[in-house]
């Protein structure tokens, strides 16, 4: 699978239920290869493997994923912490079988770069900041999708 990384989480650790006292590490990212299709990728493993893999690419990089495991996703659980994707599957990376290679999008396919700036939600499913300000009271308690641009970042 070749795609551009459109989102990525930080590395997290969890107690390993099989080895008491040990930790398992994970991080997720989302790749996109067309305007319509994108998929979440989950990786689990030893701390060294997960940290090294996470540091090997960033959002905006093109990646080639070889030998991922394809799994059905549990939509209710998976989509709490990851972007909602049009696929009913996710990719799972294994330290022993999977390989992630990074390359320049220019080297791979310049069309992939344009996918970075496409929203992952239906364009009719957004509220603008103006809508929220004008209708805030009636929107109270609702979960909304917001489409906005960051104008500045400061302390």
């Amino acid at each position: 699978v070749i795609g551009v990384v459109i989102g990525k989480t930080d590395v997290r650790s969890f107690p390993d239920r099989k080895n008491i006292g040990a930790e398992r590490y994970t991080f997720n990212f989302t790749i996109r290869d067309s305007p319509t299709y994108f998929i979440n990728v989950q990786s689990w493993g030893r701390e060294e493997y997960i940290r090294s893999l996470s540091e090997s690419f960033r959002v905006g990089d093109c990646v080639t994923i070889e030998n991922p495991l394809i799994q059905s996703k549990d939509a209710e659980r998976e989509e709490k912490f990851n972007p909602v994707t049009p696929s009913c599957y996710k990719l799972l990376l294994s330290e022993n079988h999977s390989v992630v290679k990074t390359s320049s999008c220019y080297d791979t396919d310049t069309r992939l770069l344009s996918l970075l700036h496409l929203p992952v939600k239906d364009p009719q499913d957004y509220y603008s900041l103006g809508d929220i300000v004008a209708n805030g009271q009636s929107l109270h308690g609702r979960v909304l999708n917001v489409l906005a641009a960051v104008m500045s970042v400061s302390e």
Side-chain angles (χ1 to χ4, degrees), residues 24-140:
R24 290 186 69 206
Y25 288 78
T26 185
F27 85 101
N28 300 322
F29 59 100
T30 305
I31 62 168
R32 183 177 222 163
D33 67 356
S34 75
T36 310
Y37 296 105
F38 49 98
I39 194 165
N40 291 320
V41 183
Q42 187 174 47
S43 53
W44 286 89
R46 298 176 304 112
E47 180 177 13
E48 300 80 24
Y49 167 71
I50 295 299
R51 289 201 187 280
S52 173
L53 181 60
S54 175
E55 292 168 3
S56 70
F57 62 88
R58 61 181 193 231
V59 171
D61 286 347
C62 290
V63 295
T64 302
I65 300 173
E66 298 175 0
N67 297 322
L69 180 64
I70 300 168
Q71 285 188 331
S72 296
K73 68 181 179 183
D74 176 358
E76 196 170 302
R77 202 176 91 210
E78 307 277 338
E79 293 177 348
K80 266 188 194 173
F81 306 106
N82 296 302
V84 176
T85 63
S87 173
C88 55
Y89 301 100
K90 66 179 178 181
L91 302 180
L92 184 63
L93 300 182
S94 157
E95 182 173 1
N96 297 324
H97 299 100
S98 307
V99 176
V100 178
K101 298 177 187 174
T102 60
S103 61
S104 162
C105 284
Y106 294 109
D107 295 341
T108 309
D109 187 343
T110 54
R111 291 176 299 166
L112 290 176
L113 273 180
S114 65
L115 302 176
L116 258 176
H117 305 292
L118 292 178
V120 294
K121 293 277 191 177
D122 176 355
Q124 306 304 313
D125 192 25
Y126 289 109
Y127 282 83
S128 70
L129 295 177
D131 292 340
I132 294 170
V133 169
N135 303 303
Q137 198 64 17
S138 65
L139 299 173
H140 182 74

